Amino acid sequence: MVTLAAEHISVVRAGRKLLDDVCVAFASPGATAIIGPNGAGKSTLLKTLAGLLAPTSGSVIVDGRTLDTIQAAHRAAMIGYMPQQFEPHWDIQLRDLVRISCERAVGSQGRRTPDDILAAHRIEALAEQRWSTLSGGERARALLSMVLAVDPPILLADEPAASLDPGYRLELLQKIAERGKAGICVTVMHDIDLAFRFFDQIVMLDAGRVVASGHARDVYERTVLDDAFGVNFVRSRKGELRLINPGFLRGEGPCRR
Amino acid sequence: MRIWLSLLAFVLCSVLVGVCAGHTWASPASVARALSGDSSLHSMLLLQWRFPRVVAAALVGALLGVAGTVFQGVFRNPLAEPYLLGSAGGAALGATIALLVPIGVPQAWLLPALAFLGAWGATLLVVGVSRAAGGLDIPTLLLSGVAVAAVLAALRSFLMLALSDETVSLQVVLSWVLGGMQTPSWNGVGLLLVVAVLAIFACFRLAPGLDKLGLGEQMAAAYGLRVTRFVVLAVLVGSAAVAASVTVGGLIGFVGLAAPHIARWSVGPMHRLVVPASAAIGSGVVTLADAIARSALPPAEIPLGLITALAGGPFFLLVLARSRRW
């Protein structure tokens, strides 16, 4: 089983400390949501884990090796990274996009044809369509099929589904979280409600530091959640840990720092 | 498949037209006679003068086509063209030195050598300046390209003013800059063929990387492409192709810009298809333009670069207006 951990990662850009000594080991198998207020360093952490951003100090450990010693091609086959926004420069047909995505396969990795992959994601009908003609929901499905084309053991998704209709959003998050059953899934979530609904592990960042991590059930109860967001959440008891309703703003709100 | 056959037919027809055209028109029959080893003067002239030039034009066009594809792919900008990173300025400076500075080396060797060095050296310089100025990212590369091109153009103008004591030599320089095919010996064609095949093959090998880069730098990196390294490699390979074309054909405008677009309209945006298609289109276009250059105003020859820009510009605009955006 694959492992993924961040060891004492700090990222400094233009004099700003975006991540400050972050240590996290991700459950394997497991689905983890990274939450935190805007500017907490969620996307920065995810990009660092994906190897797209070199940490100023510290290292990412994948399967016992530091990430920067792993060949780029192997990294690409192991880690699927789903960006927040994706817009190809050329108006490419979906089948070709998936074809490019398949080429990351290394060695024994199952080589499936683009059409197999499209069929597995039930978007085979869109194969001939160009990217510009796809709707938002179709694009989200298409992007996920691209990222998962080589069946990477690690999936890192950056605020997927943020701008989707509820139906598409739930469907997409479900598919993403399912990746945590057999491998590692780490997802930056803006919507805390959905984070607690779909992910069994939570890592919470605030101002570049990990302020809480562990099983969703435990993090859910902690007041650090309210402190970081500057909100008193009302924890719902309906069902299980389902809904967190923002209660009222406290102090001057989240900008108090 | 049909599109590839028509591209092949286009190249072959262009070559046939190119061989037939000239200040005296040769019928296809006399071309066939010359090819079958006939020893009449007419056949010898065709074989030694016209054929090599037509083949050279076809190769130069193919080089411009693939180089344009590489530059548009790297910069992901539809306006990118092969001379973007200083190749043109460098080549022109090299040629000016060869034509005007008395060095004492036969010009037949000096001109191509300096043009090639200038074209490729300018791009190396741009990459070096860019690295020193902040990084090898796309905006810095482009700005360095503009700066280096300006300096090279100024140097060339200065040399032209300082060194030409007669207007004749100035005209020679100008006509070279405007583009025109040299008539190479068969040995020269052989050398060009080897270089062209290598350059086209190298550009073809870049295609999967260009496809990844087309997904955006972040996605390309996530897909295992080492972006900075790849960009530099692609730029250097593309410039080598341009340098080879400049050496034989001078500065031929517009082909490297338009051929990749026309290729994308015919085979779609995947670079592994665009590279060969653009090679075929560039090849046919330059061959036809060179045929016009040789035969329109006999016995004079119109600069090839003028024809490609004059005919290509409006045609390209027409196609652009009628097709969808890529």
Side-chain angles (χ1 to χ4, degrees), chain B residues 18 23 25 68 72 96-97 101 164 191 204 242 318:
Chain B
H23 44 90
W25 175 265
Q72 284 178 14
T96 309
I97 293 175
V101 181
S164 63
L191 182 64
F204 188 68
V242 181
L318 188 76

Side-chain angles (χ1 to χ4, degrees), chain A:
Chain A
M1 189 55 70
V2 66
T3 65
L4 174 68
E7 290 191 348
H8 301 286
I9 285 183
S10 293
V11 173
V12 181
R13 285 290 180 274
R16 257 190 83 190
K17 209 158 205 180
L18 303 176
L19 290 179
D20 187 3
D21 196 33
V22 170
C23 293
V24 184
F26 292 93
S28 167
T32 307
I34 302 179
I35 61 172
N38 289 332
K42 306 186 292 288
S43 293
T44 308
L45 176 58
L46 201 74
K47 279 183 191 148
T48 313
L49 291 171
L52 302 178
L53 206 144
T56 314
S57 62
S59 47
V60 176
I61 310 289
V62 180
D63 268 349
R65 296 173 61 189
T66 56
L67 189 55
D68 52 11
T69 63
I70 299 176
Q71 270 187 6
H74 281 272
R75 187 200 70 212
M78 256 172 117
I79 303 177
Y81 172 77
M82 188 168 174
Q84 212 171 95
Q85 267 150 11
F86 171 70
E87 187 70 44
H89 288 272
W90 311 105
D91 204 0
I92 309 184
Q93 279 184 359
L94 183 52
R95 180 184 288 125
D96 286 335
L97 284 170
V98 174
R99 180 169 293 138
I100 297 171
S101 307
C102 289
E103 283 164 7
R104 287 138 65 210
V106 168
S108 61
Q109 230 165 7
R111 282 181 186 271
R112 293 181 294 165
T113 67
D115 286 315
D116 290 344
I117 290 163
L118 289 171
H121 289 261
R122 285 182 291 144
I123 44 176
E124 62 271 35
L126 306 175
E128 314 270 308
Q129 296 225 16
R130 298 186 182 286
W131 183 261
S132 64
T133 66
L134 298 178
S135 74
E138 291 167 343
R139 286 181 187 195
R141 285 182 184 169
L143 182 57
L144 187 67
S145 77
M146 290 167 59
V147 173
L148 297 182
V150 293
D151 198 16
I154 300 174
L155 171 65
L156 306 176
D158 195 354
E159 283 192 36
S163 58
L164 293 183
D165 296 339
Y168 280 115
R169 193 186 309 165
L170 297 180
E171 177 201 306
L172 189 71
L173 285 176
Q174 190 161 13
K175 276 188 193 161
I176 287 175
E178 258 173 24
R179 299 292 300 181
K181 286 185 182 153
I184 294 178
C185 164
V186 181
T187 305
V188 170
M189 290 294 294
H190 194 65
D191 187 319
I192 348 174
D193 252 2
L194 294 175
F196 281 96
R197 181 177 304 192
F198 282 100
F199 297 86
D200 47 5
Q201 299 283 327
I202 300 285
V203 169
M204 178 154 169
L205 292 179
D206 190 18
R209 293 174 155 276
V210 176
V211 290
S213 70
H215 199 278
R217 199 182 305 269
D218 306 326
V219 175
Y220 179 75
E221 299 293 346
R222 307 215 355 224
T223 52
V224 66
L225 209 61
D226 308 53
D227 293 341
F229 285 96
V231 170
N232 281 344
F233 290 110
V234 178
R235 285 156 173 79
S236 156
R237 296 291 164 203
K238 278 178 276 178
E240 265 190 278
L241 26 124
R242 282 298 186 229
L243 286 172
I244 295 178
N245 297 315
F248 52 87
L249 285 175
R250 22 150 117 166
E252 301 104 59
C255 300
R256 71 202 182 286
R257 274 187 300 272

Side-chain angles (χ1 to χ4, degrees), chain B residues 114-170:
Chain B
L114 285 186
F116 184 89
L117 278 181
W120 214 49
T123 307
L124 285 176
L125 186 64
V126 167
V127 171
V129 166
S130 174
R131 172 174 260 163
L136 290 168
D137 54 308
I138 303 291
T140 316
L141 269 176
L142 283 175
L143 289 173
S144 311
V146 171
V148 168
V151 172
L152 292 176
L155 280 178
R156 179 170 69 92
S157 303
F158 173 76
L159 280 183
M160 286 171 72
L161 283 175
L163 291 178
S164 63
D165 39 12
E166 37 173 348
T167 45
V168 181
S169 55
L170 271 184

Side-chain angles (χ1 to χ4, degrees), chain B residues 196-225:
Chain B
V197 167
L198 283 178
I200 292 168
F201 181 70
C203 291
F204 188 68
R205 291 287 304 272
L206 292 174
L210 293 174
D211 282 331
K212 283 184 187 157
L213 202 55
L215 306 180
E217 284 181 35
Q218 186 170 271
M219 203 65 171
Y223 277 11
L225 188 74

